[in-house]
């Protein structure tokens, strides 16, 4: 079972994600920049 999965169907769907191609460095950089700009200040104080 995958931690956080609430049903066998969700666990299967999560496992299927492993078959997707890896994100490009350009996409990862864009996600990191978005996180830094819009999300980090709202969530990092919670842990």
């Amino acid at each position: 079972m995958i931690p956080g999965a609430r049903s066998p169907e969700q666990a299967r769907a999560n496992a299927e994600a492993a078959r997707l191609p890896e994100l490009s460095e350009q996409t990862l950089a864009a996600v990191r920049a978005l996180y830094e700009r819009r999300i980090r200040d709202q969530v990092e104080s919670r842990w």
Side-chain angles (χ1 to χ4, degrees), residues 11-41:
R12 280 190 283 280
N14 291 350
E16 283 293 316
R19 295 182 185 186
L20 295 172
E22 290 186 21
L23 298 175
S24 69
E25 286 300 319
Q26 181 179 6
T27 298
L28 290 173
V31 170
R32 284 186 200 103
L34 175 66
Y35 177 83
E36 291 294 324
R37 206 171 54 249
R38 305 286 304 270
I39 300 170
R40 187 176 111 193
D41 290 342

